[in-house]
Amino acid sequence: MTKEAYLALAAAQYEELRALGQEPDFYTLEEKFDQLWTALGRSVLEQTLGPVPANKQKKTASRPGSGA
């Protein structure tokens, strides 16, 4: 991931982050802040590693049998 790609992801959520200052109570602010940063972290991780598979338990690589 390049610096420009990261900044583009962060810029996409900047207005939502700024709007958090208008929340009536600290609990709501903290909850929404956590949701925003978790979503940003997931986006950064997916851009770095690739998309998350639909089934996390699915085997993605296999080796041929021993042939015996």
Side-chain angles (χ1 to χ4, degrees):
M1 168 175 264
T2 64
K3 182 178 181 179
E4 291 78 19
Y6 169 74
L7 291 175
L9 286 173
Q13 293 187 346
Y14 179 74
E15 289 304 319
E16 292 179 57
L17 190 60
R18 291 231 2 179
L20 288 179
Q22 306 301 321
E23 292 301 324
D25 60 13
F26 186 76
Y27 178 78
T28 306
L29 183 139
E30 184 181 18
E31 183 179 22
K32 289 187 178 184
F33 183 82
D34 182 53
Q35 290 171 355
L36 280 173
W37 280 106
T38 301
L40 179 61
R42 181 182 179 99
S43 297
V44 169
L45 194 59
E46 285 180 358
Q47 290 287 324
T48 303
L49 299 177
V52 177
N55 182 356
K56 66 180 181 177
Q57 296 176 342
K58 184 177 179 185
K59 198 174 195 181
T60 57
S62 62
R63 292 187 227 158
S66 63

